[in-house]
Amino acid sequence: MTRSSKKLLGVAVAAFVFFLAVNIPAQVIQPFLVGTPADMSGLSGTLWNGAAQNFSVDQLRFGAARWRWKPGGLLAGRMEFDFQAGVPGQQLSGRFGLSLNGRIHASNANLELSLTRLGAMPFGTQARIIVAIESLAMAGDWPEHASGTIRLHDTSMNVPDKLALGDFEGHFRIENGGNLLADFFDLDGALEIDGTLDLDAKGNYQVTGLIRPRGRISRRLGNILNFMPRENGAYELSFSGSL
């Protein structure tokens, strides 16, 4: 075989391998999801640019999903994809990646869902949650570090009728695999709130803070506040539970 023939054969083999790689079907993902909280069905497209008719994480069902490979992640030693899935009121999107050491990364990610999807809340509290993740890294079932913002929109309680409370925002962080810590405050509504949230890896949480009425409040809301300890014109917020 001449040198030119060997070069042509090498180019042909490389082209064939490249063709196989870029056309890896999306179905190869499914075996890797076994034993994880995530599940996909109705897969189509390729590993690099694909879709699923149904995507879920535990009991959260997001409906159809799409993803596209972002080769720039290779510069950081990661396989990164832009991912989007959701149905009205429950959505997940952002850039997600897997590093060579097995860590899962997320950045510029957003999660939207109803508070009731996380379990029973005190006083029948309801809200629409929007979580904006600036950065996150996981090596197991709990993040090694994370930072971002949580917003509660249209917050209300059923006591026994619906009582509107307004919108709230919290800035959260996880450092060195520790608890999720968040400082939260009100954005509007009848109450001024300044508090903290402490959530551990098992889903146990503790909420503490101070509540002050903003101007004149309804009688029903006043009756609820009167069950709380009061000092220097502020009501002490303190409750705990498990997700």
Side-chain angles (χ1 to χ4, degrees), residues 98-121:
L98 181 66
S99 62
L100 296 176
N101 57 14
R103 285 181 173 83
I104 297 174
H105 296 263
S107 61
N108 299 321
N110 290 278
L111 171 65
E112 179 182 349
L113 72 161
S114 169
L115 181 63
T116 56
R117 299 294 296 172
L118 300 179
M121 295 290 118

mmCIF file of all heavy atoms in Angstrom, residues 98-121:
data_model
loop_
_atom_site.group_PDB
_atom_site.id
_atom_site.type_symbol
_atom_site.label_atom_id
_atom_site.label_comp_id
_atom_site.label_asym_id
_atom_site.label_seq_id
_atom_site.Cartn_x
_atom_site.Cartn_y
_atom_site.Cartn_z
ATOM 1 N N LEU A 98 -20.940 17.399 33.462
ATOM 2 C CA LEU A 98 -20.321 16.317 34.227
ATOM 3 C C LEU A 98 -18.820 16.409 34.028
ATOM 4 O O LEU A 98 -18.331 16.393 32.894
ATOM 5 C CB LEU A 98 -20.839 14.960 33.746
ATOM 6 C CG LEU A 98 -20.292 13.727 34.472
ATOM 7 C CD1 LEU A 98 -20.757 13.717 35.926
ATOM 8 C CD2 LEU A 98 -20.729 12.450 33.765
ATOM 9 N N SER A 99 -18.070 16.526 35.141
ATOM 10 C CA SER A 99 -16.621 16.652 35.058
ATOM 11 C C SER A 99 -15.963 15.280 35.071
ATOM 12 O O SER A 99 -16.604 14.260 35.340
ATOM 13 C CB SER A 99 -16.094 17.504 36.217
ATOM 14 O OG SER A 99 -16.381 16.884 37.452
ATOM 15 N N LEU A 100 -14.667 15.250 34.803
ATOM 16 C CA LEU A 100 -13.932 13.990 34.736
ATOM 17 C C LEU A 100 -13.905 13.263 36.071
ATOM 18 O O LEU A 100 -13.787 12.034 36.110
ATOM 19 C CB LEU A 100 -12.496 14.258 34.263
ATOM 20 C CG LEU A 100 -12.356 14.817 32.836
ATOM 21 C CD1 LEU A 100 -10.897 15.133 32.537
ATOM 22 C CD2 LEU A 100 -12.909 13.823 31.817
ATOM 23 N N ASN A 101 -14.015 14.001 37.186
ATOM 24 C CA ASN A 101 -14.000 13.362 38.506
ATOM 25 C C ASN A 101 -15.397 12.950 38.973
ATOM 26 O O ASN A 101 -15.581 12.561 40.124
ATOM 27 C CB ASN A 101 -13.354 14.288 39.543
ATOM 28 C CG ASN A 101 -14.052 15.640 39.635
ATOM 29 O OD1 ASN A 101 -15.157 15.824 39.128
ATOM 30 N ND2 ASN A 101 -13.396 16.596 40.285
ATOM 31 N N GLY A 102 -16.382 13.049 38.079
ATOM 32 C CA GLY A 102 -17.725 12.589 38.402
ATOM 33 C C GLY A 102 -18.629 13.628 39.023
ATOM 34 O O GLY A 102 -19.794 13.330 39.320
ATOM 35 N N ARG A 103 -18.157 14.836 39.224
ATOM 36 C CA ARG A 103 -18.991 15.876 39.816
ATOM 37 C C ARG A 103 -19.997 16.414 38.802
ATOM 38 O O ARG A 103 -19.675 16.593 37.636
ATOM 39 C CB ARG A 103 -18.136 17.021 40.347
ATOM 40 C CG ARG A 103 -17.410 16.708 41.643
ATOM 41 C CD ARG A 103 -16.591 17.900 42.118
ATOM 42 N NE ARG A 103 -16.017 17.674 43.435
ATOM 43 C CZ ARG A 103 -14.894 17.004 43.647
ATOM 44 N NH1 ARG A 103 -14.234 16.502 42.618
ATOM 45 N NH2 ARG A 103 -14.439 16.829 44.880
ATOM 46 N N ILE A 104 -21.192 16.674 39.285
ATOM 47 C CA ILE A 104 -22.226 17.300 38.467
ATOM 48 C C ILE A 104 -22.195 18.802 38.720
ATOM 49 O O ILE A 104 -22.148 19.244 39.869
ATOM 50 C CB ILE A 104 -23.614 16.731 38.811
ATOM 51 C CG1 ILE A 104 -23.666 15.235 38.482
ATOM 52 C CG2 ILE A 104 -24.711 17.478 38.061
ATOM 53 C CD1 ILE A 104 -24.941 14.564 38.926
ATOM 54 N N HIS A 105 -22.215 19.575 37.651
ATOM 55 C CA HIS A 105 -22.164 21.028 37.760
ATOM 56 C C HIS A 105 -23.410 21.644 37.128
ATOM 57 O O HIS A 105 -23.980 21.095 36.184
ATOM 58 C CB HIS A 105 -20.919 21.576 37.056
ATOM 59 C CG HIS A 105 -19.627 21.134 37.670
ATOM 60 N ND1 HIS A 105 -18.930 21.912 38.569
ATOM 61 C CD2 HIS A 105 -18.917 19.986 37.520
ATOM 62 C CE1 HIS A 105 -17.844 21.267 38.945
ATOM 63 N NE2 HIS A 105 -17.811 20.094 38.323
ATOM 64 N N ALA A 106 -23.806 22.786 37.655
ATOM 65 C CA ALA A 106 -24.907 23.550 37.071
ATOM 66 C C ALA A 106 -24.584 25.029 37.193
ATOM 67 O O ALA A 106 -23.960 25.465 38.166
ATOM 68 C CB ALA A 106 -26.221 23.244 37.778
ATOM 69 N N SER A 107 -24.996 25.792 36.196
ATOM 70 C CA SER A 107 -24.810 27.241 36.239
ATOM 71 C C SER A 107 -25.925 27.900 35.442
ATOM 72 O O SER A 107 -26.468 27.307 34.500
ATOM 73 C CB SER A 107 -23.443 27.637 35.674
ATOM 74 O OG SER A 107 -23.316 27.234 34.322
ATOM 75 N N ASN A 108 -26.255 29.111 35.844
ATOM 76 C CA ASN A 108 -27.324 29.866 35.177
ATOM 77 C C ASN A 108 -28.569 28.999 34.983
ATOM 78 O O ASN A 108 -29.187 28.993 33.918
ATOM 79 C CB ASN A 108 -26.843 30.404 33.830
ATOM 80 C CG ASN A 108 -25.670 31.355 33.980
ATOM 81 O OD1 ASN A 108 -25.622 32.156 34.908
ATOM 82 N ND2 ASN A 108 -24.708 31.256 33.078
ATOM 83 N N ALA A 109 -28.911 28.257 36.032
ATOM 84 C CA ALA A 109 -30.042 27.334 35.968
ATOM 85 C C ALA A 109 -31.239 27.918 36.710
ATOM 86 O O ALA A 109 -31.086 28.678 37.675
ATOM 87 C CB ALA A 109 -29.667 25.986 36.571
ATOM 88 N N ASN A 110 -32.434 27.551 36.251
ATOM 89 C CA ASN A 110 -33.665 28.033 36.863
ATOM 90 C C ASN A 110 -34.637 26.876 37.063
ATOM 91 O O ASN A 110 -34.810 26.037 36.174
ATOM 92 C CB ASN A 110 -34.327 29.104 35.994
ATOM 93 C CG ASN A 110 -33.541 30.400 35.972
ATOM 94 O OD1 ASN A 110 -33.638 31.216 36.874
ATOM 95 N ND2 ASN A 110 -32.739 30.577 34.930
ATOM 96 N N LEU A 111 -35.243 26.855 38.238
ATOM 97 C CA LEU A 111 -36.254 25.858 38.577
ATOM 98 C C LEU A 111 -37.501 26.579 39.045
ATOM 99 O O LEU A 111 -37.428 27.453 39.909
ATOM 100 C CB LEU A 111 -35.744 24.929 39.679
ATOM 101 C CG LEU A 111 -36.765 23.968 40.303
ATOM 102 C CD1 LEU A 111 -37.250 22.955 39.275
ATOM 103 C CD2 LEU A 111 -36.169 23.268 41.517
ATOM 104 N N GLU A 112 -38.639 26.224 38.472
ATOM 105 C CA GLU A 112 -39.916 26.823 38.870
ATOM 106 C C GLU A 112 -40.898 25.713 39.201
ATOM 107 O O GLU A 112 -41.060 24.765 38.436
ATOM 108 C CB GLU A 112 -40.484 27.690 37.746
ATOM 109 C CG GLU A 112 -41.828 28.316 38.087
ATOM 110 C CD GLU A 112 -42.413 29.145 36.958
ATOM 111 O OE1 GLU A 112 -41.675 29.415 35.984
ATOM 112 O OE2 GLU A 112 -43.601 29.509 37.040
ATOM 113 N N LEU A 113 -41.550 25.815 40.359
ATOM 114 C CA LEU A 113 -42.546 24.836 40.755
ATOM 115 C C LEU A 113 -43.399 25.389 41.882
ATOM 116 O O LEU A 113 -43.111 26.454 42.438
ATOM 117 C CB LEU A 113 -41.900 23.520 41.189
ATOM 118 C CG LEU A 113 -41.152 23.480 42.525
ATOM 119 C CD1 LEU A 113 -40.999 22.037 42.980
ATOM 120 C CD2 LEU A 113 -39.778 24.106 42.408
ATOM 121 N N SER A 114 -44.437 24.648 42.241
ATOM 122 C CA SER A 114 -45.310 25.043 43.337
ATOM 123 C C SER A 114 -44.719 24.567 44.657
ATOM 124 O O SER A 114 -44.159 23.471 44.745
ATOM 125 C CB SER A 114 -46.698 24.431 43.144
ATOM 126 O OG SER A 114 -47.487 24.587 44.309
ATOM 127 N N LEU A 115 -44.840 25.383 45.697
ATOM 128 C CA LEU A 115 -44.315 25.029 47.013
ATOM 129 C C LEU A 115 -44.918 23.727 47.520
ATOM 130 O O LEU A 115 -44.247 22.936 48.185
ATOM 131 C CB LEU A 115 -44.599 26.162 48.003
ATOM 132 C CG LEU A 115 -44.104 25.983 49.442
ATOM 133 C CD1 LEU A 115 -42.588 25.884 49.477
ATOM 134 C CD2 LEU A 115 -44.575 27.141 50.318
ATOM 135 N N THR A 116 -46.168 23.464 47.203
ATOM 136 C CA THR A 116 -46.835 22.258 47.696
ATOM 137 C C THR A 116 -46.215 20.989 47.125
ATOM 138 O O THR A 116 -46.410 19.904 47.682
ATOM 139 C CB THR A 116 -48.334 22.289 47.360
ATOM 140 O OG1 THR A 116 -48.499 22.465 45.941
ATOM 141 C CG2 THR A 116 -49.023 23.440 48.080
ATOM 142 N N ARG A 117 -45.458 21.083 46.028
ATOM 143 C CA ARG A 117 -44.805 19.906 45.464
ATOM 144 C C ARG A 117 -43.690 19.394 46.364
ATOM 145 O O ARG A 117 -43.230 18.262 46.214
ATOM 146 C CB ARG A 117 -44.228 20.230 44.085
ATOM 147 C CG ARG A 117 -45.260 20.668 43.060
ATOM 148 C CD ARG A 117 -46.219 19.558 42.718
ATOM 149 N NE ARG A 117 -45.534 18.447 42.075
ATOM 150 C CZ ARG A 117 -46.096 17.275 41.793
ATOM 151 N NH1 ARG A 117 -47.343 17.059 42.150
ATOM 152 N NH2 ARG A 117 -45.411 16.328 41.194
ATOM 153 N N LEU A 118 -43.242 20.214 47.319
ATOM 154 C CA LEU A 118 -42.168 19.819 48.225
ATOM 155 C C LEU A 118 -42.685 19.150 49.489
ATOM 156 O O LEU A 118 -41.903 18.709 50.325
ATOM 157 C CB LEU A 118 -41.329 21.044 48.602
ATOM 158 C CG LEU A 118 -40.655 21.775 47.440
ATOM 159 C CD1 LEU A 118 -39.879 22.973 47.950
ATOM 160 C CD2 LEU A 118 -39.743 20.836 46.660
ATOM 161 N N GLY A 119 -44.004 19.074 49.639
ATOM 162 C CA GLY A 119 -44.580 18.445 50.824
ATOM 163 C C GLY A 119 -45.502 19.396 51.563
ATOM 164 O O GLY A 119 -45.695 20.549 51.174
ATOM 165 N N ALA A 120 -46.089 18.898 52.649
ATOM 166 C CA ALA A 120 -47.029 19.692 53.433
ATOM 167 C C ALA A 120 -46.307 20.839 54.129
ATOM 168 O O ALA A 120 -45.261 20.657 54.741
ATOM 169 C CB ALA A 120 -47.725 18.806 54.459
ATOM 170 N N MET A 121 -46.866 22.046 54.030
ATOM 171 C CA MET A 121 -46.283 23.233 54.634
ATOM 172 C C MET A 121 -47.125 23.683 55.830
ATOM 173 O O MET A 121 -48.340 23.447 55.867
ATOM 174 C CB MET A 121 -46.220 24.373 53.611
ATOM 175 C CG MET A 121 -45.288 24.114 52.442
ATOM 176 S SD MET A 121 -43.547 24.128 52.912
ATOM 177 C CE MET A 121 -43.086 22.441 52.511
#
